[in-house]
Amino acid sequence: MTGPTDPDRTPSRPGTDPDQTPSPPTPFSGPAVWRGPGLTDPERWRTRLSESGLAEIEAALCETRRRDLTLLRLTAADFPLPGLGPDLARLSGELEHGRGFAVVRGLPVDRLGEKAASTVFWGIGRHLGHPVPQNADGLVLGHVGDTGHVGDPGPGRSDPAARGHETPAVLPERGAAPPFHTDPTDLLALLALRTPRAGGRVSLVSSAAVHNAVLDRRPDLAGRLYGTYHFDRRGEHAPGEPPCTAVPLFSRRDGAPSMRYDRRCLESAQRFPQVPRLEPADRELFDLVDSVAASPEYRLDLDLRAGDLLLLDTHRVMHAAAAFEDHGPPEHRGHLLRLWLAFPPGSGSQDPHPWVTLRDVIRPRGTAATRATNARRSTA
């Protein structure tokens, strides 16, 4: 980065190490490489909560009420799941070392109501990782729906600082593909409280499969996958901190993929004079990534039901969500709860990955920089 840098904001990732970046890049293999049409059996990635699991969740919820525990201070120990907890640990391993996504079905959100469902969502999340802020004000439990704020679904909109979930309650033009991206975190968790009248479909794509498609279709662009690019932080930074983060699109460790991609942030970072200009070949690469990700040949479309919990390893899976189309009072509109989770140190079978410090992208304003590390991308 030509301008000022911040060691807490610019991670040292494997893609920046010539010893860990293949030259020329080689395809990924294994369970992280999949195509949507090939996932014909949803029971391979979808699991339904059992009666015993639901009973454990209800008992844990009653315990938090009895102890009058504050949600944001709730730990996994405060939300005991003696039988379901080990199942969640195995699921976490599948997310981190398998295809990278799963749907847990059957949370009784209608009966629980928003407040209790939020507590259950948080409690389950604490068994999967450590919640991290989603903006510089320290928000850790996000709400996705119509905020009434006109967001920035792509280049050319008037507010480059608007975040992607701050979108009006309208659908994209018929046939338009929503933008695929990764969130700056290890694990994305979404709980559907209510489904919208129309829209809201979530689409997933294997980042490794997109990587391999670039190698196959445009080998002349393959090296750029591992180049360092600048991402607009969209105002989620404290005064005096750099407005952008510089990271490679792809990195790998022990053959495992890790992708960071959000074209909106890549394009809007160009508003800063200290950021190097994108070259025509860079935009050709972005166009190809967008095209492959949105292709029915690669993507998997999901229509979440109320009570569905979607879990994504953002290193392995990009996602896109069609905008909601809703009318009527807010309590009847589509509503998702969102957590960004950092994998705990030593999670899964791999050793902790030390290349990123806690708060890679967003750190609450007014807090001192920390050097605590986490197993993978300990980020927002």
Side-chain angles (χ1 to χ4, degrees):
M1 189 169 180
T2 307
T5 59
D6 180 342
D8 284 317
R9 317 305 296 188
T10 306
S12 172
R13 293 179 54 157
T16 63
D17 184 343
D19 293 333
Q20 298 187 42
T21 302
S23 182
T26 56
F28 289 105
S29 60
V33 183
W34 51 264
R35 296 190 183 189
L39 301 179
T40 56
D41 182 6
E43 299 311 311
R44 296 181 61 185
W45 46 264
R46 188 173 63 205
T47 182
R48 178 174 287 276
L49 288 167
S50 65
E51 290 299 324
S52 60
L54 289 171
E56 285 189 0
I57 290 171
E58 185 68 33
L61 180 61
C62 289
E63 180 65 10
T64 63
R65 289 168 171 165
R66 185 189 69 80
R67 297 173 60 192
D68 195 24
L69 295 173
T70 303
L71 184 145
L72 298 186
R73 294 182 179 272
L74 201 68
T75 67
D78 296 321
F79 201 84
L81 300 171
L84 186 58
D87 291 339
L88 292 174
R90 286 190 290 272
L91 180 60
S92 179
E94 172 63 26
L95 294 171
E96 191 173 1
H97 308 300
R99 66 181 58 88
F101 75 94
V103 173
V104 179
R105 175 157 287 176
L107 281 171
V109 293
D110 289 339
R111 178 175 60 80
L112 290 171
E114 181 179 330
K115 183 177 180 180
S118 298
T119 301
V120 169
F121 182 45
W122 181 275
I124 291 175
R126 294 299 275 119
H127 283 267
L128 295 168
H130 177 75
V132 291
Q134 300 173 32
N135 65 19
D137 293 323
L139 174 76
V140 285
L141 180 61
H143 296 260
V144 181
D146 178 19
T147 66
H149 183 96
V150 178
D152 176 29
R157 281 298 184 95
S158 60
D159 186 1
R163 296 180 59 79
H165 60 280
E166 296 179 328
T167 54
V170 294
L171 287 170
E173 293 182 7
R174 186 177 298 274
F180 279 81
H181 63 283
T182 62
D183 283 358
T185 185
D186 286 335
L187 181 65
L188 167 65
L190 293 171
L191 174 62
L193 294 181
R194 291 185 300 274
T195 56
R197 186 173 69 87
R201 168 172 287 181
V202 178
S203 298
L204 313 178
V205 70
S206 161
S207 299
V210 172
H211 170 280
N212 291 355
V214 172
L215 267 59
D216 182 56
R217 300 183 186 187
R218 290 292 304 273
D220 58 309
L221 298 177
R224 292 178 182 266
L225 287 169
Y226 293 85
T228 296
Y229 291 89
H230 295 75
F231 291 78
D232 187 357
R233 291 166 63 188
R234 298 191 164 199
E236 302 292 357
H237 60 285
E241 290 186 334
C244 297
T245 299
V247 294
L249 298 186
F250 262 97
S251 57
R252 64 171 75 203
R253 182 185 180 93
D254 300 328
S258 180
M259 187 180 192
R260 169 75 182 278
Y261 183 76
D262 189 331
R263 186 162 186 176
R264 298 163 298 180
C265 294
L266 289 162
E267 295 282 3
S268 63
Q270 295 293 290
R271 63 193 172 115
F272 299 109
Q274 68 268 35
V275 171
R277 300 299 89 182
L278 291 172
E279 300 175 1
D282 294 322
R283 288 195 166 93
E284 289 182 36
L285 172 62
F286 302 162
D287 287 344
L288 181 55
V289 168
D290 293 341
S291 174
V292 171
S295 168
E297 182 184 355
Y298 283 85
R299 74 173 194 265
L300 174 69
D301 296 328
L302 302 177
D303 291 308
L304 298 181
R305 303 178 183 177
D308 280 355
L309 171 59
L310 173 63
L311 301 168
L312 301 181
D313 181 336
T314 66
H315 300 268
R316 292 176 173 243
V317 177
M318 287 196 289
H319 69 282
F324 291 171
E325 182 181 271
D326 267 327
H327 303 289
E331 62 270 18
H332 294 154
R333 297 179 184 177
H335 187 181
L336 300 173
L337 296 179
R338 178 180 56 211
L339 284 173
W340 284 358
L341 299 167
F343 285 131
S347 64
S349 60
Q350 294 181 339
D351 294 330
H353 304 321
W355 61 78
V356 178
T357 60
L358 193 61
R359 309 305 308 125
D360 170 21
V361 178
I362 301 174
R363 185 169 62 243
R365 295 184 180 93
T367 62
T370 66
R371 303 300 299 181
T373 59
N374 137 30
R376 301 187 72 195
R377 188 197 304 156
S378 294
T379 66

